[in-house]
Amino acid sequence: MSKHTATARDKPLVFTSPDGTQATPEVDRLVLAVIGRVADKWTLQVLEALDQGGVLRFSQVAQAVGDISQKMLTKTLRKLEEDGFVTRKVYPEVPPRVEYALTDLGASLCAALCSLWQWAETHYDKLRSFRADGLPDTPASD
């Protein structure tokens, strides 16, 4: 992520890269929209499950993610498919077989998100020390 600057209260925040290049308003809006779409607990875990597991059936994604309801998993997978991060392939069988996989765009997003995991791992002790109750060992369920 980049540092940001705000020159006046009436001007929007402008993101700046480490080399000092300022993003355009269009790029800022796009980045914030993508973050808004993927920065929730379930989406990140579904992306990671598909990144690690490759092509997975619905039940396999559910098992990999863990404590997620069928309704939330369905909603999350649909959102990822709409955004172009996941493909959904339905086989004309009885019972129907549905498989999910990351697109190239989804795989590249996972690679970028890996940096967040690495950052958290690097700063785990410091982050934990700032939380009076400590960080949970596992994600809380919604």
Side-chain angles (χ1 to χ4, degrees), residues 1 6 35 42-43 53 79 83 92 98-99 140:
M1 185 164 288
I35 291 170
W42 298 124
T43 300
K79 180 177 73 168
D83 290 342
V98 180
E99 293 179 338

Side-chain angles (χ1 to χ4, degrees), residues 73-124:
L73 181 54
T74 299
K75 179 180 174 182
T76 302
L77 285 165
R78 283 183 184 156
K79 180 177 73 168
L80 288 168
E81 183 182 10
E82 289 170 7
D83 290 342
F85 298 126
V86 168
T87 60
R88 177 179 185 265
K89 185 171 183 179
V90 180
Y91 294 88
E93 301 172 355
V94 177
R97 178 170 50 118
V98 180
E99 293 179 338
Y100 297 89
L102 290 176
T103 62
D104 289 343
L105 185 63
S108 68
L109 175 61
C110 286
L113 293 172
C114 184
S115 298
L116 176 60
W117 259 261
Q118 291 170 335
W119 174 86
E121 186 175 0
T122 299
H123 299 287
Y124 181 81

